[in-house]
Amino acid sequence: MESFVYTASPSRVIFGPGASSKLPEELCRQTLRAALILSTKHQTGEANRIRDLLASNAVGLFSEAAMHTPTEVTEKALAVAQSLKADSIVSIGGGSTIGLGKAISIRTGLPHICIPTTYAGSEMTPILGETADGLKTTRRDPKILPGTVIYDVNLTMTLPQGLSATSGINAIAHAVEALYAPDSNPIIKLLAKEGIRALAESLPIIVKDANDKDARSKALYGAWLCGVCLGSTAMSLHHKLCHAVGGSFDLPHSETHTILLPHTIAYNSSAVPGAMKDLASALPDSNSNAIIGLNSLLDKLGVEKALKKYGMKEDDVDKAAIIAMKNRYDNPREVELEKVQELIRRAWAGEPARTDL
């Protein structure tokens, strides 16, 4: 067997239907008594339920979390946390809210407890992406990793079917890159294949029946595993493009991942035959071809396939490629500007992914 290094993420996970009810017990275990609750404006209902659950142990609610974690929002939330003398952060929501919790925690040292309501996986990573002056930058630090994650499938039951689909593909993207990351290892590859398989099997069921609790639980489990993969390995071209395109042009996060993933896999496929075999084995209807399997899954989910549908302009394609070439991530295949421009153009136009770049 090959030599490898595996570093386990030191986070505590509480998983199960109704698991969010254990939050007061978790705060007590950590001797925390003044939690600031974070959410987006659209999730204040769930955040208020958490505040009621915590009663006097909740000192306030900040509901202005935004996509791509703008630093001006973080500064505003920091001021609220300091004025309320918060001793901890509880984030309930998806990547936007969890990102804000990470940004506050890394700046203050406050313990961060996450309650994810999507499949984004950010809660399992020591990675923080922030946007300032229209540019998204990413950093990695063990202190960014939330200390406790509470997975409550009941809180995902109302996640819209379309967002469930794209959020789940976003999670799959984390595991795909872990299959060929330069610091991958057999343990992470096992988690990646299991996470991809769980999501690929459950997402089509959720799209047909949003109330299928078993499928929701399986998707949440898969997202957890995929998040661990992202937090344990280096990111490659796919995540770099998503950060460049999404952060710079304010495109929705999970939708951007969903559209770009087939194209980035196609670009790298010739350089990582082993990873493509692993991916194909985890995808139904693949016929031993990872790209066929992924395209089949996307067709079942009925997701949008063109970045232009979310407001990206054709003039932005070249700009995005230039941004992506700066501070490049490790990638198994050489990244060339003209080829990346064409990759982004195909994703912008909604064309099928091809391996001819």
Side-chain angles (χ1 to χ4, degrees), residues 238-254:
H238 174 77
H239 279 84
K240 181 61 180 180
L241 289 182
C242 288
H243 294 156
V245 173
S248 300
F249 304 102
D250 199 31
L251 302 183
H253 184 75
S254 66

mmCIF file of all heavy atoms in Angstrom, residues 238-254:
data_model
loop_
_atom_site.group_PDB
_atom_site.id
_atom_site.type_symbol
_atom_site.label_atom_id
_atom_site.label_comp_id
_atom_site.label_asym_id
_atom_site.label_seq_id
_atom_site.Cartn_x
_atom_site.Cartn_y
_atom_site.Cartn_z
ATOM 1 N N HIS A 238 -11.483 23.099 -9.899
ATOM 2 C CA HIS A 238 -12.923 23.316 -9.771
ATOM 3 C C HIS A 238 -13.237 24.379 -8.725
ATOM 4 O O HIS A 238 -13.979 25.332 -9.002
ATOM 5 C CB HIS A 238 -13.647 22.020 -9.402
ATOM 6 C CG HIS A 238 -15.094 22.233 -9.121
ATOM 7 N ND1 HIS A 238 -16.025 22.420 -10.125
ATOM 8 C CD2 HIS A 238 -15.777 22.371 -7.949
ATOM 9 C CE1 HIS A 238 -17.212 22.637 -9.585
ATOM 10 N NE2 HIS A 238 -17.085 22.606 -8.273
ATOM 11 N N HIS A 239 -12.684 24.246 -7.537
ATOM 12 C CA HIS A 239 -12.990 25.220 -6.489
ATOM 13 C C HIS A 239 -12.401 26.592 -6.805
ATOM 14 O O HIS A 239 -13.000 27.620 -6.488
ATOM 15 C CB HIS A 239 -12.493 24.716 -5.134
ATOM 16 C CG HIS A 239 -13.422 23.729 -4.492
ATOM 17 N ND1 HIS A 239 -13.385 22.390 -4.803
ATOM 18 C CD2 HIS A 239 -14.433 23.894 -3.604
ATOM 19 C CE1 HIS A 239 -14.324 21.760 -4.101
ATOM 20 N NE2 HIS A 239 -14.982 22.643 -3.378
ATOM 21 N N LYS A 240 -11.248 26.599 -7.444
ATOM 22 C CA LYS A 240 -10.669 27.889 -7.831
ATOM 23 C C LYS A 240 -11.596 28.627 -8.795
ATOM 24 O O LYS A 240 -11.846 29.832 -8.649
ATOM 25 C CB LYS A 240 -9.294 27.681 -8.485
ATOM 26 C CG LYS A 240 -8.607 28.985 -8.901
ATOM 27 C CD LYS A 240 -8.341 29.890 -7.700
ATOM 28 C CE LYS A 240 -7.668 31.182 -8.102
ATOM 29 N NZ LYS A 240 -7.398 32.066 -6.954
ATOM 30 N N LEU A 241 -12.133 27.914 -9.787
ATOM 31 C CA LEU A 241 -13.046 28.544 -10.736
ATOM 32 C C LEU A 241 -14.333 29.003 -10.052
ATOM 33 O O LEU A 241 -14.855 30.084 -10.351
ATOM 34 C CB LEU A 241 -13.376 27.578 -11.874
ATOM 35 C CG LEU A 241 -12.259 27.286 -12.874
ATOM 36 C CD1 LEU A 241 -12.765 26.350 -13.967
ATOM 37 C CD2 LEU A 241 -11.727 28.571 -13.490
ATOM 38 N N CYS A 242 -14.850 28.188 -9.152
ATOM 39 C CA CYS A 242 -16.082 28.579 -8.454
ATOM 40 C C CYS A 242 -15.868 29.833 -7.621
ATOM 41 O O CYS A 242 -16.740 30.710 -7.559
ATOM 42 C CB CYS A 242 -16.577 27.431 -7.580
ATOM 43 S SG CYS A 242 -17.264 26.053 -8.524
ATOM 44 N N HIS A 243 -14.718 29.922 -6.970
ATOM 45 C CA HIS A 243 -14.432 31.119 -6.180
ATOM 46 C C HIS A 243 -14.252 32.342 -7.089
ATOM 47 O O HIS A 243 -14.737 33.428 -6.780
ATOM 48 C CB HIS A 243 -13.175 30.899 -5.340
ATOM 49 C CG HIS A 243 -13.336 29.850 -4.292
ATOM 50 N ND1 HIS A 243 -12.276 29.142 -3.758
ATOM 51 C CD2 HIS A 243 -14.445 29.362 -3.681
ATOM 52 C CE1 HIS A 243 -12.732 28.279 -2.866
ATOM 53 N NE2 HIS A 243 -14.040 28.393 -2.804
ATOM 54 N N ALA A 244 -13.552 32.138 -8.204
ATOM 55 C CA ALA A 244 -13.315 33.256 -9.124
ATOM 56 C C ALA A 244 -14.610 33.732 -9.769
ATOM 57 O O ALA A 244 -14.888 34.935 -9.833
ATOM 58 C CB ALA A 244 -12.314 32.844 -10.198
ATOM 59 N N VAL A 245 -15.406 32.787 -10.246
ATOM 60 C CA VAL A 245 -16.641 33.140 -10.945
ATOM 61 C C VAL A 245 -17.719 33.601 -9.969
ATOM 62 O O VAL A 245 -18.333 34.655 -10.139
ATOM 63 C CB VAL A 245 -17.151 31.934 -11.770
ATOM 64 C CG1 VAL A 245 -18.522 32.224 -12.360
ATOM 65 C CG2 VAL A 245 -16.172 31.612 -12.886
ATOM 66 N N GLY A 246 -17.957 32.798 -8.921
ATOM 67 C CA GLY A 246 -19.019 33.133 -7.985
ATOM 68 C C GLY A 246 -18.744 34.382 -7.180
ATOM 69 O O GLY A 246 -19.592 35.278 -7.089
ATOM 70 N N GLY A 247 -17.541 34.451 -6.599
ATOM 71 C CA GLY A 247 -17.216 35.588 -5.748
ATOM 72 C C GLY A 247 -17.076 36.891 -6.493
ATOM 73 O O GLY A 247 -17.481 37.945 -6.004
ATOM 74 N N SER A 248 -16.519 36.849 -7.698
ATOM 75 C CA SER A 248 -16.262 38.078 -8.447
ATOM 76 C C SER A 248 -17.495 38.617 -9.151
ATOM 77 O O SER A 248 -17.612 39.823 -9.381
ATOM 78 C CB SER A 248 -15.150 37.846 -9.476
ATOM 79 O OG SER A 248 -13.947 37.454 -8.845
ATOM 80 N N PHE A 249 -18.435 37.731 -9.492
ATOM 81 C CA PHE A 249 -19.601 38.168 -10.256
ATOM 82 C C PHE A 249 -20.909 37.926 -9.509
ATOM 83 O O PHE A 249 -21.987 37.983 -10.088
ATOM 84 C CB PHE A 249 -19.612 37.480 -11.623
ATOM 85 C CG PHE A 249 -18.340 37.722 -12.392
ATOM 86 C CD1 PHE A 249 -17.360 36.748 -12.475
ATOM 87 C CD2 PHE A 249 -18.101 38.953 -12.994
ATOM 88 C CE1 PHE A 249 -16.177 36.972 -13.152
ATOM 89 C CE2 PHE A 249 -16.920 39.192 -13.681
ATOM 90 C CZ PHE A 249 -15.955 38.208 -13.762
ATOM 91 N N ASP A 250 -20.774 37.628 -8.205
ATOM 92 C CA ASP A 250 -21.916 37.509 -7.295
ATOM 93 C C ASP A 250 -22.949 36.500 -7.807
ATOM 94 O O ASP A 250 -24.149 36.762 -7.835
ATOM 95 C CB ASP A 250 -22.581 38.874 -7.088
ATOM 96 C CG ASP A 250 -23.458 38.904 -5.834
ATOM 97 O OD1 ASP A 250 -23.122 38.184 -4.879
ATOM 98 O OD2 ASP A 250 -24.456 39.632 -5.831
ATOM 99 N N LEU A 251 -22.463 35.332 -8.202
ATOM 100 C CA LEU A 251 -23.344 34.266 -8.654
ATOM 101 C C LEU A 251 -23.659 33.334 -7.494
ATOM 102 O O LEU A 251 -22.852 33.181 -6.570
ATOM 103 C CB LEU A 251 -22.682 33.476 -9.783
ATOM 104 C CG LEU A 251 -22.260 34.252 -11.028
ATOM 105 C CD1 LEU A 251 -21.685 33.301 -12.068
ATOM 106 C CD2 LEU A 251 -23.423 35.040 -11.611
ATOM 107 N N PRO A 252 -24.817 32.693 -7.503
ATOM 108 C CA PRO A 252 -25.180 31.802 -6.395
ATOM 109 C C PRO A 252 -24.206 30.642 -6.276
ATOM 110 O O PRO A 252 -23.820 30.027 -7.273
ATOM 111 C CB PRO A 252 -26.593 31.336 -6.761
ATOM 112 C CG PRO A 252 -26.726 31.583 -8.224
ATOM 113 C CD PRO A 252 -25.873 32.768 -8.527
ATOM 114 N N HIS A 253 -23.834 30.335 -5.054
ATOM 115 C CA HIS A 253 -22.716 29.424 -4.790
ATOM 116 C C HIS A 253 -22.970 28.012 -5.293
ATOM 117 O O HIS A 253 -22.197 27.473 -6.097
ATOM 118 C CB HIS A 253 -22.430 29.407 -3.283
ATOM 119 C CG HIS A 253 -21.250 28.582 -2.896
ATOM 120 N ND1 HIS A 253 -19.956 28.985 -3.113
ATOM 121 C CD2 HIS A 253 -21.164 27.362 -2.307
ATOM 122 C CE1 HIS A 253 -19.121 28.059 -2.667
ATOM 123 N NE2 HIS A 253 -19.832 27.064 -2.172
ATOM 124 N N SER A 254 -24.018 27.358 -4.793
ATOM 125 C CA SER A 254 -24.219 25.948 -5.153
ATOM 126 C C SER A 254 -24.560 25.784 -6.630
ATOM 127 O O SER A 254 -24.154 24.801 -7.269
ATOM 128 C CB SER A 254 -25.316 25.325 -4.286
ATOM 129 O OG SER A 254 -26.584 25.908 -4.535
#
